[in-house]
Amino acid sequence: MTAPDPDGLLAEQLLRLTRRVHRIQKRHLEHRDLGITPAQSRLLRTLAHYGSPPRMADLAERLEVVPRAVTTLVDGLEAAGKVRRVPDPANRRVIRIELTDDGRAALRELRGARRSAAEEILAPLTDEQRAVLGGLLDSLIDGPDAGQERRTA
């Protein structure tokens, strides 16, 4: 008989939680009837973090996907009126992507859907448990060297 693998169990729990989060977020998105896929939602959120309209290559790098995937997402969002392609003022051969007013409105709705999904997922936890979970998730997201980087900075 083999001993239980606690790390394997944790990995499985994390994967199951990730799938559950995606399912719940997708359901909340569908209820708002925005016609935006989760991947398009992620692109809109990423786009909103730029101070000025980024290039498609910038978006691909930030999203950690191939540029062709960004082109497909932008095509769909542009057809829906959520983003537009604009020429770079310094180099007319470069195309940048910017949010439209409809895109900004969709982002507000998306944030509401994400907030509702988070409330549903976190409902079983107390405030104290949520704080502990937040700290644990930060540790996992930042990686093992994050504390060392903070101490030497």
Side-chain angles (χ1 to χ4, degrees), residues 13-126:
Q13 288 174 306
L14 286 171
L15 290 173
R16 287 176 47 212
L17 177 60
T18 300
R19 286 191 296 267
R20 181 168 184 251
V21 167
H22 284 285
R23 274 193 319 272
I24 290 172
Q25 284 184 343
K26 186 176 178 184
R27 181 170 36 85
H28 281 266
L29 276 176
E30 288 168 353
H31 281 128
R32 291 180 185 254
D33 199 28
L34 294 172
I36 294 175
T37 67
Q40 290 173 328
S41 167
R42 185 171 174 235
L43 187 136
L44 285 175
R45 289 190 321 270
T46 301
L47 189 55
H49 288 342
Y50 282 92
S52 61
R55 300 171 306 140
M56 296 255 238
D58 299 328
L59 288 168
E61 184 178 332
R62 177 85 57 97
L63 293 168
E64 298 178 343
V65 299
V66 296
R68 177 70 189 123
V70 171
T71 300
T72 301
L73 292 172
V74 168
D75 287 347
L77 288 168
E78 187 175 39
K82 308 293 189 235
V83 301
R84 69 177 145 253
R85 289 172 165 94
V86 294
D88 184 304
N91 182 347
R92 63 189 178 127
R93 291 175 296 171
V94 174
I95 299 296
R96 297 192 174 268
I97 309 303
E98 72 179 7
L99 284 169
T100 63
D101 289 340
D102 282 350
R104 282 185 276 286
L107 261 175
R108 286 189 294 276
E109 286 291 318
L110 291 168
R111 286 184 186 117
R114 286 173 60 101
R115 205 170 14 261
S116 296
E119 288 170 8
E120 181 178 336
I121 291 162
L122 297 172
L125 302 179
T126 66

